[in-house]
Amino acid sequence: MAPESLNWKIRARVQSEGDAHVMEDTCGFAGPAAWVIDGATSLLEPLGLPGASDPSWLAQTLSIALTEVVAESEPAAPMSESGVRALLAAALQKVDDGGRRSVGEERVRFPSAAVSVARLNDGGVEVLSLADCHVAVRLAGGGIEHVFSELADSRIHAAVPTTGPDPVGLRVRQIADRERRNTADGLWVARREPAAADHAYVVQLPRPELMVMASDGAWRAVDLGLMSDAGEFLEAVSTPVGALELMHRLRAHQRAIGEVADDATVLVVEPADQDQDATRVQLPRR
């Protein structure tokens, strides 16, 4: 393939702060790699990392690290020759190095995030997922693939099913689950351990026509029934105006039902050799 066919081009980027008014999502792309990162709201005692919050620091630091790894890999080790696991592991090593300078070896209280990373290669696109970011890919011929790993709290509810409100007990279980993360008994997420990349769900897909990466806050549009499935979600956000309209519709619906809104991020990209316009939109605070 020509070099430009192994690079992404942005179609649209929309971000909307949740009710906490601290943006802990981010997304980006560089060369053949694109990603969305959703920082997990702190449940343990914060470390005071130099950001708007610890999860915000992690999301931004990991995004910068992914950009750096892509830049450092060219031309000595072209990204087409290395896998998406290696890309994430190298970026997490940079996060670990930065974390060590700031807070030493602390791991349990270190912020964590869900992440999805996609990398174009000669065979199409390799997509990696840790926890609950979502990737919808439209293939040639119109087929839709939805790549998603695991709901962040699924193990909590599976272990102790709840039949009614139990806010105190739920928080205790959430904290215990957070303390087990990135261990043999817990959920693997993007934190500071490069080994997390080995535990990610990875799938190789044919060459995409269009790809949407979304944090779980944006995917609430599907969870709440505003969109029927991944295909309808992808079509709705495939233009900048459509993505903006869906985010406004989602926020209005959440206000109407009294739901606390999470940060929402949508990144829409396509291979760079396809001729489309690019737009980025940052929604104002709610």
Side-chain angles (χ1 to χ4, degrees):
M1 287 188 178
E4 63 271 15
S5 68
L6 292 181
N7 291 311
W8 292 110
K9 179 172 63 176
I10 191 170
R11 176 87 71 93
R13 171 177 171 168
V14 175
Q15 290 193 277
S16 174
E17 280 186 354
D19 288 334
H21 300 304
V22 178
M23 175 55 73
E24 295 176 341
D25 286 359
T26 193
C27 60
F29 69 103
W35 55 87
V36 61
I37 303 166
D38 180 1
T41 301
S42 295
L43 291 176
L44 308 177
E45 183 182 355
L47 292 172
L49 289 159
S53 68
D54 285 0
S56 178
W57 177 91
L58 173 67
Q60 296 298 326
T61 301
L62 179 55
S63 186
I64 292 168
L66 286 163
T67 303
E68 291 175 345
V69 172
V70 174
E72 291 164 1
S73 69
E74 300 289 350
M79 286 298 297
S80 59
E81 298 177 8
S82 62
V84 71
R85 290 188 196 275
L87 168 61
L88 180 60
L92 289 173
Q93 183 61 61
K94 288 179 175 286
V95 172
D96 186 37
D97 293 342
R100 186 173 294 107
R101 290 190 294 269
S102 297
V103 296
E105 298 299 328
E106 174 61 45
R107 295 185 180 274
V108 174
R109 289 167 51 211
F110 203 82
S112 62
V115 62
S116 288
V117 184
R119 181 189 60 88
L120 289 166
N121 55 30
D122 290 337
V125 61
E126 190 180 24
V127 184
L128 173 152
S129 182
L130 275 171
D132 52 7
C133 290
H134 295 257
V135 181
V137 181
R138 187 174 71 204
L139 306 175
I144 302 293
E145 295 285 346
H146 176 205
V147 183
F148 162 76
S149 177
E150 181 179 352
L151 290 172
D153 290 338
S154 61
R155 302 185 186 207
I156 299 172
H157 299 300
V160 185
T162 56
T163 57
D166 182 22
V168 176
L170 176 60
R171 183 168 179 81
V172 170
R173 293 194 298 274
Q174 287 175 328
I175 290 173
D177 177 77
R178 194 64 62 88
E179 292 173 341
R180 288 193 299 269
R181 289 191 173 179
N182 287 8
T183 70
D185 298 322
L187 176 72
W188 283 86
V189 292
R191 196 167 64 181
R192 62 184 296 179
E193 297 86 356
D198 295 330
H199 297 266
Y201 174 65
V202 176
V203 60
Q204 173 71 42
L205 299 174
R207 182 170 173 78
E209 288 186 347
L210 189 68
M211 183 178 73
V212 174
M213 312 188 85
S215 66
D216 68 333
W219 200 258
R220 286 297 289 165
V222 179
D223 297 335
L224 294 172
L226 303 180
M227 298 284 107
S228 62
D229 55 23
E232 187 176 1
F233 183 87
L234 182 147
E235 292 303 321
V237 302
S238 61
T239 67
V241 172
L244 187 59
E245 288 178 343
L246 181 59
M247 288 300 101
H248 279 299
R249 184 181 170 194
L250 171 62
R251 292 316 195 197
H253 183 72
Q254 289 176 309
R255 286 194 294 270
I257 65 175
E259 179 174 281
V260 176
D262 191 8
D263 298 333
T265 294
V266 173
L267 176 68
V268 187
V269 292
E270 61 191 348
D273 55 347
Q274 296 180 188
D275 186 18
Q276 294 289 346
D277 294 330
T279 300
R280 171 178 173 173
V281 180
Q282 177 80 43
L283 294 185
R285 291 186 174 184
R286 300 174 72 238

